[in-house]
Amino acid sequence: MFFKVQIPLIITFIVGAALVIAMFVPHFPFYEANENFSIYFDLIAVFAFILGGGNLLKIHGDRIWRKGRDWKYSIVTVVGFLAMLIVGTLKIGGPPGFTGDVSASDSWFGFMYYSMFVPLQSTMFSLLAFFVASASYRAFRAKTKEATMLLVAAFIILIGRTPLGHYVTGWLPPQLQFLHIPNLSNWILSVPSMAGQRAIMIGIALGIISTSLKLILGIERSYLGGESK
Amino acid sequence: MAHTFELWIGALLTLMIFSFLYKDNPFYKFAEHLFVGVSAAYWMVIGIWSTLMPNLVGRIAPNALQGVINMPEDAQPQYHFIVPAIFGLLMLTRLVERISWLSRWAMAFVIGFAAGTNFTRYLQSDFVGQIYNSMLPLVVVSSGHVAIGATFSAIVLIVGVISALIYFFFSKEHTGAFGATSRLGIWFLMVAFGAAFGYTVMARISLLTGRMQYLGEWLATIF
Amino acid sequence: MPPCREDSDSHASLARFSVPFSAILFLKFARLIRFIPALAVTLGLVIACSFPCVCPAAEPAATPDEAHPVVVPMPAAAPTEIRAADTPDDNGESITVSWVLSADDVPATGTVTGYAIMRCATPDGAYEQVSTAPAQAQEYLDTSVDQGVQYYYKVGAMCGDLVSLSAVVGPVAARQQWLDTRVINLLVIALILIGAIMWYVFQAGKGKKLFIRRIAGIEAVDEAVGRATEMGKPILFIPGIQDMDNVQTVAGLTILASVGKLAAQYETKLDVPVSRSLVMSTARETLKQAYLSVGRPDLYSDDMAYYVTDEQFGYVAAVDGIMVREKPATCFYMGAFFAESLILAETGNSVGAIQIAGTAMPTQLPFFVAACDYTLIGEELFAASAYLSKDAKMIGSLKGQDVGKGIAMFFILLGSIVATVASVSGNSSAAAFSDWLSNLFRLNF
Amino acid sequence: MADDRPDKEQSSRPRKGVIDVLKAIDRRIIFLLITLGVVLPLIFHLVFSVRTSPIVQAIFDKMESLPPGSKVLVSFDYAPSTVPENQPMAEAICRHALAKDFKVYMMAVWATGPPQVDALVTNVIERDFPGKVYGKDWINLGYKAGNQGLINAILLDLKGMYTTDVHGDPIDGFEMMRDVQNLADMSLIVCIGSGFPGVREWVQFAGDPGRIPVAGGVTAVEAPLLYPYYPRQLLGLMGGLQGAAEYESALVLKYPQYKEHAEQAVRLMGPQTVAHLVIIAFVIIGNIAYFGERSRQKRAKKA
């Protein structure tokens, strides 16, 4: 138990507390800890990529081996993964010289990046244009007072964020300019919406501060599997 | 030639993903599985070349990497980087069932790092910073007169922040005046959500425009 | 910039003194002696930059050495009252050198084109030029020092190649400080928050019952798991797409533990695709323990939580595929989300799943609110993770968070009222109080 | 927040009226109309004029106020997926900076950033500023892992993290890097971002602690979230395509010589406007359907 629970808790405490203290104490060892821990974390994150790759091969390899559901598509995943990995890690097909930038656009790796990764990523992302439309069709209905607030705010901003807003209410006399839709939408963003955002931010900050504190002090330890509370 | 080839692959994959909007189909499945494999490898390769090599191997043993990456000629080994290397290797024990518990030590470092950095970051910019930003005069005077519009905005802002904060109170029943204020708070939250949603639509349409232009470019090479 | 800058090259440049540095100067002075000198410096910078240099005709020196500008007697008066001190509140990486302007440093004439900062390890060794500061500057932050090493400084008023040097000042060494006095306010606030949270954690730990209001999203968890059981369909749980370095992911996994226990009790299939391998590791540990704690370790398998890809949209593509193929009855989205939130929630909606979301990503809340049945808004995510854990200490901390909100509300109201009184009445003591109050919450003053 | 979830209702009666048709619109019809709303204006080159709002003008004015030779750091923190929104911002800022003879330092906290820099080099530097010299007028520092940790680190020591530029050449070999130690040497930081880490992290880890002016250009999703930082912590903000179009308008107004290449975002506002119209129409239809349904239910109750 000591090695499985106590040591991790001690490590978390030391690292977390040192980083909090470093905010107030620009002195050895806290300052140095603050500087180095970020880099340490990034390095551990790279090991996590490797762990992820290992798991990906394990999962899809298993599926192919057992001829599980959609196993033929798993071959696509594995082939894509290995091809990209080998070309990139060994810098096959450029960049010129081993020291060059791995993602140089004229290398093989660059080619795979631009011909597959980029279009797939952008297209997946662009599906949002459709989903945002279908979601607004369903959600923006004046069903309750709350839903009406949501609807009205969204509607004004929708119009106000395009040149459309200028055409719709551009004719208003100067004393009613505050009702001009671009002005109104800016007002909504910078006053009531900002008020809501601020309250959310303050609340979140407190939630995070409290959770961080519980983690540092070992009160919250579900990440260890929640043993010995 | 390479560019046309690239454009063709890209355009076909684009159409495969879009086909999902109609319904799930083998083309989408193909694109999806390819994307998973390619992207996992992409992040691994980038991690290796932009971080692992220069910042770990290069720092512990700069001479070992001559000809592999460019290191400053006078680079000295920094042995304290063995610490993250050990943690990283402990992380990999996950792949071996019997000793996988060792990865908890590395996880403990990650959690400690998360807690420490998040604590200070949110305390500073999101808690203290937002309180500071909210302390503004409720009555705005400009050139000797009360500016009605600005005053109204200032009051709405403060009422909004306070009432929405009341909504987040967990340890008090939301009834009576407290409950009414908290309901007002929800309205402000709803306005914030509606505004953000409305604002976002633009971003999403832009993305689609980008894709359509890309397909247009591809079609132009055919006709 | 004055045209005669070209000859005062060496490795220093006036460009260092553009906005950020003047901003630093400004803030430093504001703290030390309040506004006036800093305003003068900033103003001086602007003026100095807009006037060409007019040197009194002086003998051009023999080839000036970069490191040792030739010193010709009396082209311009030397700066006086040189001071050099360790920069306060830092980690020992700089020394602050300050001086009183040369008598000839008048913006209208442009006689003095700048100041040369000279440094040496011994009082009468060969001084090396560290850098230059523009005319009208009264302070220089020397960041090229080694910690703990003693230095001596001279400051020279420059007029073209001609430099008239001040007296020597020193020795001075850069040292690390044990407290950054600029963030004392933050320290106090942090201690109050820590105190409040720990107090209630302690109280709860002693067995004191604390009231927590009902949160719709939390109450729906049980029902949602039950629905999946009835329909004989799986539950999909997404703990966000961020790594373990995000506290929201940790909160999401704590909720996963509770959902896991319910799923084990009801014998319902649970599917947890994740986009980070560290999250996968943790999710497995969490689930294993959850299944064990309700006495169903036989139902647990490592395949429940599996890694997909680190790439955001690759992950979404895969999860969308899982949704349309497995048709889960219930979807949980608990953790940190980005743009994928709406893709997931709309696809989940199209397969008719009941959806419960919780995130502290303000950008994504609108989409979850619009497309999901229940949404835990911001802080409610953390509240839910504490509440569902059924751990008294965790619940106690929620009350501590409420104290934080109370503090925020109190000071926002007080600050605004005092600022209102100050601006309407024009009363100077009200204004001073208002400034003091808002400075309590000011960052990096 | 279950209240704003109006679908999944049971429709109680069999007879099909207009309202039932409206209620049961297949989402694929919405998808089709959105596609047309984007494609048709693209084909027919529909362009609307754009006016600059104060929050964007603030960035433009700040850039105008800096003297030539000022150091401006531009961070490319986005991926190809948000190029339509982010790239015009990055290009407008860099075009403006180079036109004003600033030294431009480009870097990325996102691994996907450097290829966007390459695109910018082709579109802006090679096209409009062929005379600018790499390493003297502009430099590409490339990407480093570390998210906010990287920002934190370069605030204290930029050269410690960036020992080489993106091509792997030693950093001290470049003229414009000689007098740069850390972020405090920058006159302005402009982050063009689309998520985490992004503008918020630049404010939190560079702007606030280092007292360096930070301006941002973000996707429209991020923008409402950043308003609370404006104007005290964040100098100005370009939000989404509209923000980019506004900056371009301001730029072209002052420097008409760049009109030909500098109006990408302005041109893309056409499909934007039409697609918005489609969505607005659907929101109205949705509400008509809802109210029609409700009044019918009320009548049914009375009867």
Side-chain angles (χ1 to χ4, degrees), chain B residues 128-148:
Chain B
V128 176
Q130 292 310 323
I131 295 176
Y132 175 68
N133 283 341
S134 304
M135 293 164 122
L136 298 169
L138 296 173
V139 178
V140 182
V141 183
S142 80
S143 59
H145 296 281
V146 174
I148 294 172

Side-chain angles (χ1 to χ4, degrees), chain A residues 206, chain C residues 193 196-198 200 395-405:
Chain A
L206 285 166
Chain C
L193 288 179
I197 294 167
M198 290 321 296
Y200 284 106
I395 296 171
S397 67
L398 290 181
K399 184 121 182 156
Q401 284 164 234
D402 278 359
V403 172
K405 269 164 284 183

Side-chain angles (χ1 to χ4, degrees), chain B residues 160-208:
Chain B
V161 174
I162 299 287
S163 58
L165 272 176
I166 283 182
Y167 168 77
F168 286 111
F169 261 80
F170 298 116
S171 60
K172 194 165 158 44
E173 191 75 83
H174 287 191
T175 49
F178 198 75
T181 321
S182 128
R183 264 194 96 71
L184 181 66
I186 299 180
W187 290 9
F188 275 96
L189 294 183
M190 284 299 153
V191 170
F193 294 150
F197 196 117
Y199 205 103
T200 309
V201 171
M202 183 167 66
R204 305 320 189 202
I205 304 295
S206 312
L207 299 170
L208 183 59

Side-chain angles (χ1 to χ4, degrees), chain A residues 202-216, chain B residues 115 118-124 126-128, chain C residues 189-190 193-194 197 247 382 401:
Chain A
I202 291 176
I204 288 172
L206 285 166
I208 287 180
I209 288 169
S210 151
T211 310
S212 302
L213 189 64
K214 287 182 281 183
L215 286 168
I216 293 174
Chain B
N118 280 299
F119 184 99
T120 51
R121 175 164 90 123
Y122 280 90
L123 175 72
Q124 229 184 124
D126 284 22
F127 185 72
V128 176
Chain C
I189 295 167
L193 288 179
I194 293 174
I197 294 167
V247 177
F382 302 104
Q401 284 164 234

Side-chain angles (χ1 to χ4, degrees), chain A residues 24 28 31 48 134 138 225, chain C residues 91 176 180 277 289 346 397 401:
Chain A
F24 309 106
F28 180 85
Y31 183 85
S134 63
R138 277 190 301 107
Chain C
N91 69 322
Q176 291 187 318
D180 184 346
S277 60
Q289 187 61 30
E346 276 293 289
S397 67
Q401 284 164 234

